[in-house]
C-alpha cells in the first residue's frame, strides 16, 4: 500500500464531514459577519482552545 | 531520466495539478457563497498553512526532535522567529482593537502544566502535534490518519472534564500587551535563541533558508487568521467540536458537562462546522497538505512500511492523550505555544517548558513502541 491510500481516505473523511454536517445544519449566507473581523466593530466570538465558555 | 521521459511525466502531471488547483479554488468559492466570505477566507488561510507546512516540510514536533536528538536548532529558531514576527504586529493591534481581536490568553495551573507535559510525550510518539497530525494525515501518513480521530475524541473528553481539572488550582490568566509586551516577548525569545544556539552541536549552529522562509510565511498566515477571524490560530478546539457533533449524533447527552452544555458550546455543536473558525483552518490545513503531496512527482507513491501491532495500539493511546492533554493545557503547539506566546500569554511560555520536557521523554519512548528502529 502506498501513501496515496491514507491521504485519499483523510481527504474523503474531512470533506464528507463538512458536507454531511452542512446538509444537517445549513448556514444562512445572508446572516454572515463582516468579511474581516479587524475594523468590523463586532466582538470576537469564535471557539478557541484557550478560552472557557461563560 | 531522459528528456523524453521527463516531458512525458510533465505532460501527465499537468492535468492532475490543474485539477488540484481548481478543486481547492472551488472549495473556497463554495464556502464563500454557501456560508459567507469570511469563512471562505479562513478556509483559504488554512490551505495556506497546509501548503507552507507540507511544501517546506516544516512543523513543530520534528524540529523539537532534531534539537533533542541531534542538537540541530534551526527549526526551533524558525519557531521563535515566526512567534516574534507575529508578536510585533499582533500585540499592539490587539491592544488597539481590544474586543474585535482577542489573544490566546489562558490561565496557568496544575492541570495546564501536566497537560502540556503529557502532550509533549504523545507528540513525539506519533511525531505530530495538532497541526502536524493534520498535515501528516493529508500527506498520507497512516499513523497520523489513525491518531486523528482519537485526537478528536480525546479533545472532546478533555473539554468535557475541563472545569474539574481547572478546579484543581490555577492562577488567573496573566499576559503582556501593547509595545511593552512586544519588548518583553522579543527579549525572552532572543534569550531562548541564545540558549538553543549554545546547546546546538558544532556545525549545526545555523539557520536554514528553508526555515526562515517557512517562519515568515507562517507568521503572515497567522496574522491573516487573526485579522479575519478576530482570534489567533488554533487547532484542538475544532477537533473536539467534530467529536462532540459525532457524540450528539449518536445520541449522547452533553448536559453533564459544564463545558459542552454552556450556551455558546451548544450553539456551535448545533450549527454548521463551516461556521467554526478552527474547523475551517483545520480542514484547509489537511487539504493544503494533500494538494502539495499530490503535486510533487511521486509524492504519494512511497510504500508504507509495515509496523508491529503495538505501534498501532501506541498510536491510538497517543492520539487520545494528544487530544485530552491539549484541552487541559489550553492548546497545542499552535494554540498555546505559537499563538499564546505571540499574543502575550504567560501560559504559552509555561506550556513550552513543560511540553519540551515531555518531548525529551517522548523521544526516548518512541523506539520502544515499535514506531522506529531502536537506537
Amino acid at each position: 500500500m502506498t501513501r496515496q491510500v491514507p491521504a485519499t481516505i483523510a481527504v474523503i473523511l474531512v470533506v464528507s464531514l463538512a458536507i454531511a454536517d452542512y446538509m444537517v445544519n445549513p448556514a444562512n449566507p445572508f446572516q454572515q459577519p463582516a468579511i474581516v473581523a479587524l475594523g468590523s466593530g463586532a466582538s470576537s466570538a469564535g471557539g478557541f482552545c484557550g478560552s472557557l465558555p461563560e | 531520466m531522459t528528456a523524453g521521459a521527463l516531458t512525458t511525466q510533465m505532460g501527465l502531471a499537468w492535468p492532475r495539478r490543474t485539477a488540484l488547483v481548481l478543486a481547492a479554488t472551488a472549495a473556497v468559492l463554495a464556502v464563500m457563497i454557501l456560508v459567507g466570505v469570511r469563512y471562505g477566507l479562513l478556509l483559504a488561510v488554512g490551505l495556506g498553512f497546509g501548503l507552507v507546512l507540507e511544501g517546506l516540510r516544516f512543523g513543530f514536533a520534528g524540529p523539537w526532535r532534531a534539537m533533542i536528538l541531534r542538537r540541530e536548532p534551526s527549526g526551533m529558531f524558525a519557531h521563535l522567529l515566526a512567534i516574534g514576527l507575529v508578536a510585533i504586529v499582533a500585540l499592539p493591534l490587539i491592544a488597539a482593537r481590544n474586543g474585535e481581536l482577542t489573544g490566546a490568553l489562558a490561565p496557568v495551573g496544575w492541570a495546564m502544566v501536566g497537560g502540556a507535559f503529557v502532550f509533549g510525550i504523545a507528540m513525539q510518539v506519533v511525531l505530530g502535534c495538532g497541526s502536524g497530525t493534520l498535515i501528516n494525515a493529508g500527506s498520507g501518513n497512516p499513523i497520523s490518519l489513525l491518531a486523528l480521530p482519537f485526537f478528536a475524541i480525546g479533545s472532546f473528553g478533555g473539554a468535557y472534564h475541563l472545569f474539574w481539572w481547572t478546579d484543581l488550582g490555577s492562577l488567573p490568566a496573566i499576559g503582556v500587551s501593547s509595545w511593552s509586551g512586544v519588548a518583553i516577548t522579543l527579549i525572552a525569545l532572543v534569550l531562548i535563541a541564545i540558549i538553543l544556539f549554545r546547546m546546538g552541536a558544532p556545525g549545526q549552529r545555523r539557520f536554514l533558508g528553508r526555515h526562515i522562509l517557512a517562519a515568515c510565511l507562517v507568521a503572515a498566515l497567522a496574522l491573516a487568521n487573526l485579522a479575519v477571524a478576530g482570534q489567533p490560530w488554533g487547532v484542538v478546539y475544532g477537533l473536539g467540536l467534530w467529536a462532540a457533533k459525532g457524540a450528539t449524533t449518536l445520541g449522547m447527552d452533553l448536559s453533564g458537562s459544564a463545558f459542552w452544555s454552556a450556551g455558546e458550546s451548544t450553539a456551535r455543536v448545533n450549527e454548521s462546522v463551516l461556521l467554526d473558525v478552527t474547523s475551517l483552518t483545520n480542514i484547509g490545513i489537511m487539504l493544503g497538505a494533500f494538494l502539495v503531496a499530490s503535486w510533487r512527482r511521486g509524492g504519494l507513491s512511497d510504500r508504507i512500511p509495515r509496523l508491529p501491532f503495538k505501534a498501532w495500539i501506541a498510536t491510538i493511546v497517543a492520539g487520545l492523550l494528544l487530544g485530552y492533554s491539549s484541552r487541559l493545557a489550553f492548546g497545542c503547539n499552535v494554540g498555546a505555544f505559537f499563538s499564546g506566546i505571540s499574543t502575550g500569554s504567560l501560559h504559552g511560555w509555561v506550556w513550552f517548558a513543560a511540553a519540551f520536557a515531555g518531548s525529551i521523554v517522548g523521544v526516548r519512548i518512541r523506539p520502544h513502541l515499535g514506531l522506529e528502529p531502536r537506537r
Side-chain angles (χ1 to χ4, degrees):
Chain A
M1 186 168 68
T2 66
R3 293 174 73 101
Q4 182 76 53
V5 176
T8 306
I9 291 171
V11 169
I12 288 173
L13 285 177
V14 79
V15 171
S16 301
L17 167 78
I19 293 174
D21 188 56
Y22 185 85
M23 303 288 272
V24 177
N25 305 302
N28 182 354
F30 299 102
Q31 287 186 335
Q32 58 179 295
I35 295 173
V36 174
L38 179 62
S40 67
S43 294
S44 167
F48 187 72
C49 42
S51 62
L52 287 168
E54 296 296 326
Chain B
M1 184 181 290
T2 64
L6 185 63
T7 309
T8 307
Q9 282 215 355
M10 291 286 284
L12 290 172
W14 262 109
R16 181 167 47 87
R17 291 177 176 177
T18 307
L20 287 167
V21 173
L22 287 175
T25 309
V28 171
L29 290 175
V31 173
M32 281 183 174
I33 294 165
L34 295 173
V35 187
V37 178
R38 179 188 290 196
Y39 305 106
L41 285 178
L42 286 168
L43 181 64
V45 168
L47 276 164
F49 278 124
L51 295 175
V52 169
L53 295 175
E54 175 62 18
L56 294 171
R57 296 193 184 282
F58 181 65
F60 291 92
W64 286 27
R65 177 183 164 87
M67 185 65 206
I68 293 164
L69 284 180
R70 300 185 298 276
R71 291 193 292 148
E72 294 174 8
S74 179
M76 290 191 71
F77 285 155
H79 297 160
L80 303 178
L81 174 62
I83 290 170
L85 290 172
V86 173
I88 289 169
V89 180
L91 283 168
L93 206 55
I94 291 170
R97 295 282 183 174
N98 197 12
E100 263 179 22
L101 306 182
T102 54
L105 216 60
V108 174
W110 295 114
M112 185 252 123
V113 176
F117 181 78
V118 172
F119 186 89
I121 296 174
M123 172 180 88
Q124 292 300 339
V125 167
V126 298
L127 255 187
C129 56
S131 59
T133 302
L134 294 166
I135 290 284
N136 293 342
S139 58
N141 181 325
I143 295 289
S144 294
L145 180 63
L146 178 63
L148 186 58
F150 293 98
F151 195 144
I153 293 168
S155 176
F156 165 68
Y160 196 97
H161 302 133
L162 186 55
F163 284 102
W164 185 87
W165 286 102
T166 54
D167 285 347
L168 294 178
S170 61
L171 298 169
I174 299 169
V176 293
S177 65
S178 198
W179 288 107
S180 60
V182 172
I184 292 167
T185 303
L186 292 183
I187 289 168
L189 290 170
V190 169
L191 287 175
I192 297 291
I194 291 170
I195 292 169
L196 291 174
F197 181 83
R198 293 179 71 89
M199 289 174 65
Q204 297 296 341
R205 292 169 178 165
R206 59 190 174 179
F207 200 171
L208 299 175
R210 172 173 65 91
H211 286 154
I212 296 172
L213 178 61
C216 294
L217 292 173
V218 166
L221 287 164
L223 287 169
N225 190 106
L226 178 67
V228 175
Q231 65 184 54
W233 178 27
V235 172
V236 296
Y237 179 88
L239 298 179
L241 182 64
W242 298 356
K245 282 175 168 289
T248 52
T249 304
L250 294 173
M252 186 173 173
D253 179 13
L254 302 185
S255 62
S257 163
F259 185 96
W260 289 113
S261 63
E264 57 197 84
S265 300
T266 306
R268 284 195 200 102
V269 171
N270 292 322
E271 65 186 17
S272 169
V273 77
L274 296 175
L275 290 166
D276 177 56
V277 172
T278 52
S279 293
L280 279 164
T281 46
N282 287 353
I283 293 168
I285 287 170
M286 196 188 280
L287 296 182
F290 178 79
L291 198 156
V292 172
S294 303
W295 184 283
R296 285 194 188 111
R297 193 149 34 93
L300 291 173
S301 60
D302 293 348
R303 294 199 75 77
I304 295 168
R306 285 186 177 279
L307 292 171
F309 182 70
K310 69 176 178 181
W312 300 108
I313 298 297
T315 299
I316 290 171
V317 174
L320 284 169
L321 288 175
L322 278 170
Y324 198 94
S325 63
S326 60
R327 285 320 318 250
L328 309 194
F330 293 106
C332 61
N333 294 60
V334 173
F337 172 57
F338 185 91
S339 295
I341 294 176
S342 64
T343 59
S345 179
L346 174 66
H347 100 288
W349 290 104
V350 177
W351 192 100
F352 177 35
F356 198 83
S359 283
I360 293 170
V361 177
V363 163
R364 305 282 182 269
I365 289 175
R366 183 175 151 86
H368 299 281
L369 299 172
L371 287 155
E372 64 180 82
R374 288 197 198 187
R375 286 181 294 277

